[in-house]
C-alpha cells in the first residue's frame, strides 16, 4: 500500500493551511487505498538552506536535513497544501523542497492550494520545481478561494464540491505512486 504525505506548506502564525491540510487528511483517511500522514514543515524548523554541498549530491551534514530527508524518503507520493504568496508558493515550502533531491525522485505529487484565485499560480510554480526533482505531478488539483471557501478570509468553510476534487486528485496520486514504484527500487545486480 503506498504511503502518501500531506505536506502542510506554510509556517506562518495563524495560517489557513492547517485547517486545509487536516481536511484533506480526514477525506484521505476514509479511502483505505494508501497510508496517509500529515507532515508539517514547521515541525522541522529548517533554516534557510545551509548545506554546503548541493542536495543533488546527497551528502547531507546537518541534523535537521538528515531528519527531513529520512521523513521524505519514507513516502511514495505527496500532496502539497500551499498558500499563494505574491503569485507563488510560500518561501518556507520552497526552502523545504530545496533541501533535498533524491528523496523526492520518482514519486507522484498532487496539489491543494488556496489564495485569492485559488492559489493556482503557486501550483504552477510548484509544477516547474517538481519536474526538476523528477516528481510526476498529477493533473487534478484542488483550488480553494479565500473569498468563497473561507469565512472572513480566515475560517475554513469549503464548498461541498471540493470533496470530489480531493478524491480525484488522490486517485491520481495513488495511481501514479504505484506506477512509479519500480523506478524507486534499487537495480538488481
Amino acid at each position: 500500500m503506498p504511503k502518501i504525505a500531506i505536506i502542510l506548506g506554510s509556517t506562518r502564525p495563524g495560517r489557513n493551511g492547517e485547517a486545509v491540510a487536516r481536511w484533506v487528511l480526514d477525506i484521505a483517511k476514509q479511502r483505505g487505498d494508501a497510508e496517509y500522514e500529515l507532515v508539517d514543515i514547521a515541525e522541522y524548523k529548517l533554516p534557510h538552506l545551509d548545506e554546503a554541498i548541493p542536495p543533488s549530491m546527497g551528502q547531507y551534514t546537518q541534523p535537521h536535513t538528515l531528519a527531513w530527508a529520512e521523513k521524505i524518503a519514507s513516502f511514495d507520493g505527496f500532496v502539497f497544501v500551499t498558500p499563494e504568496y505574491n503569485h507563488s508558493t510560500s518561501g518556507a515550502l520552497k526552502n523545504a523542497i530545496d533541501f533535498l533531491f533524491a528523496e523526492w525522485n520518482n514519486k507522484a505529487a498532487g496539489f491543494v492550494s488556496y489564495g485569492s484565485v485559488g492559489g493556482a499560480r503557486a501550483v504552477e510554480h510548484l509544477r516547474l520545481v517538481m519536474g526538476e526533482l523528477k516528481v510526476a505531478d498529477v493533473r487534478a488539483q484542488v483550488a480553494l478561494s479565500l473569498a468563497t471557501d473561507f469565512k472572513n478570509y480566515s475560517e475554513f468553510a469549503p464548498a461541498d464540491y471540493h470533496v470530489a476534487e480531493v478524491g480525484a486528485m488522490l486517485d491520481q496520486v495513488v495511481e501514479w505512486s504505484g506506477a512509479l514504484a519500480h523506478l524507486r527500487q534499487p537495480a538488481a545486480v
Side-chain angles (χ1 to χ4, degrees), residues 7 9 34 37 74 76-77 84 95 104 107 115 119 124 159 163 179:
I7 299 178
E37 181 181 333
S74 73
D76 301 301
E84 182 175 310
N95 185 59
W104 300 114
K107 298 177 182 181
E124 290 308 307
V163 173

Side-chain angles (χ1 to χ4, degrees), residues 145-165:
S145 169
L146 285 175
T148 59
D149 293 307
F150 293 83
K151 294 177 186 170
N152 298 318
Y153 296 91
S154 60
E155 183 184 337
F156 187 48
D160 291 340
Y161 68 87
H162 289 303
V163 173
E165 293 175 342

Side-chain angles (χ1 to χ4, degrees), residues 6-28:
I6 298 168
I7 299 178
L8 174 48
S10 173
T11 58
R12 191 167 138 182
R15 61 193 173 174
N16 288 330
E18 188 167 356
V20 176
R22 292 193 184 287
W23 172 73
V24 172
L25 180 63
D26 288 345
I27 294 168

Side-chain angles (χ1 to χ4, degrees), residues 33-117:
D33 58 350
E35 293 178 44
Y36 296 94
E37 181 181 333
L38 180 62
V39 176
D40 184 348
I41 63 172
E43 293 176 5
Y44 288 84
K45 304 201 183 313
L46 297 168
H48 287 281
L49 184 57
D50 63 348
E51 292 285 347
I53 299 172
S56 60
M57 302 302 290
Q59 298 175 19
Y60 310 132
T61 61
Q62 300 294 334
H64 51 264
T65 309
L66 294 167
W68 180 236
E70 181 180 5
K71 177 53 79 175
I72 295 305
S74 73
F75 294 104
D76 301 301
F78 312 99
V79 173
F80 291 95
V81 176
T82 182
E84 182 175 310
Y85 298 154
N86 300 317
H87 290 211
S88 190
T89 191
S90 73
L93 178 56
K94 178 66 167 72
N95 185 59
I97 291 168
D98 287 347
F99 260 93
L100 308 176
F101 182 73
E103 294 78 7
W104 300 114
N105 295 174
N106 301 315
K107 298 177 182 181
F111 305 99
V112 177
S113 57
Y114 56 96
S116 60
V117 289

